[in-house]
Structures are given as C-alpha cells and as structure tokens.
Amino acid sequence: MDILTEGLVWLGAHPRIVIGLSVFSVLMFIGTLIALPWLITRIPPDYFAPPHRKRSRFAHTHPVLRWDLLILRNLVGLLLLLAGMLMLFMPGQGLLTLLAGLILMNYPGKYRLERWLIQRPALLRAVNALRVRRGAEPLEF
C-alpha cells in the first residue's frame, strides 16, 4: 500500500480528526477574510520604501519581554505555516495561510521577500485598491 492510501485509510478510521481539521479550516478562512483587510490598511504607506527594514518598535523593550514576544510570534507563524501546508490538501485558504505564517516568522531575507511579493503588479494593484477603499494611502516604493 502506498503512503497516500495509508493516509486515507487512517483518516477514515479517525473521523473526529477530519471534522476538527475541517472546522479549523473554515474558521481560518473566516478569520482571514476578516483580518486581512484590517491588517493591509494598518501597513504604513512608506513601509516598503526603504531598501532595508526599519528598527522594530520593540527594540527598546526589556530583553526578556522582547524574546518572549519573538518566540511567541515565531511559534504562531510556524503553526500557520503547518496549517497552510495541511490546507493545501484540505478545504481552506492554504496559500494565504502559508503566506501569513511566513510573514509572521523571522528569517534571513524576509524583508526582501515581502518587497518582492508586494511589488508584483497584480498584487500591488489589489492591495492599493483595498487601501484606498478603506481610506488609507496607497503603498509607496
């Protein structure tokens, strides 16, 4: 038996897990629909203008608190990344959840990746249209 068949047999034997993952997927979809426009409008218009990332506003907080927040943020990002991978094979916003996880986590080259993604013409048009519709200035580069 190949691994896909074994996985389907295992899922058939555990319907509660399938129902739980499906409910989680639907909740993530609804949460994404609500949170994404709000988050997009909270980005400052000049956020992507400098070639390098600005210092974090948490740079001057207590080191223990800063590390706690960093660890928590990366754990939530990792959870979203893993959930997005699962949602690629289940109902839900897999790619969007993967992207949210990547944006939350810290890793080398993240700012370059964000700038590259947002500068795709179709995505930039859509983001700026949403920002203008909600009363925020368009993003500038």
Side-chain angles (χ1 to χ4, degrees), residues 31-44 57 127 130-131 134 136:
T32 300
L33 290 178
I34 293 169
L36 197 61
W38 180 76
L39 289 171
I40 286 174
T41 56
R42 297 208 17 108
I43 299 171
R57 63 181 172 191
V127 166
L130 177 70
R131 288 177 62 84
R134 293 191 166 242

Side-chain angles (χ1 to χ4, degrees), residues 19-92:
I19 292 170
L21 288 173
S22 298
V23 168
F24 177 73
S25 180
V26 168
L27 290 175
M28 285 295 295
F29 174 70
I30 293 169
T32 300
L33 290 178
I34 293 169
L36 197 61
W38 180 76
L39 289 171
I40 286 174
T41 56
R42 297 208 17 108
I43 299 171
D46 64 345
Y47 180 77
F48 294 107
H52 301 286
R53 172 130 340 183
K54 297 177 186 175
R55 280 188 69 99
S56 169
R57 63 181 172 191
F58 298 110
H60 300 293
T61 60
H62 192 276
V64 173
L65 178 62
R66 187 171 60 239
W67 277 100
D68 287 347
L69 290 173
L70 181 68
I71 291 169
L72 179 65
R73 182 176 158 180
N74 279 296
L75 285 175
V76 170
L78 181 62
L79 177 67
L80 288 173
L81 191 69
L82 295 173
M85 286 182 205
L86 277 175
M87 285 184 219
L88 290 175
F89 305 102
M90 298 178 57

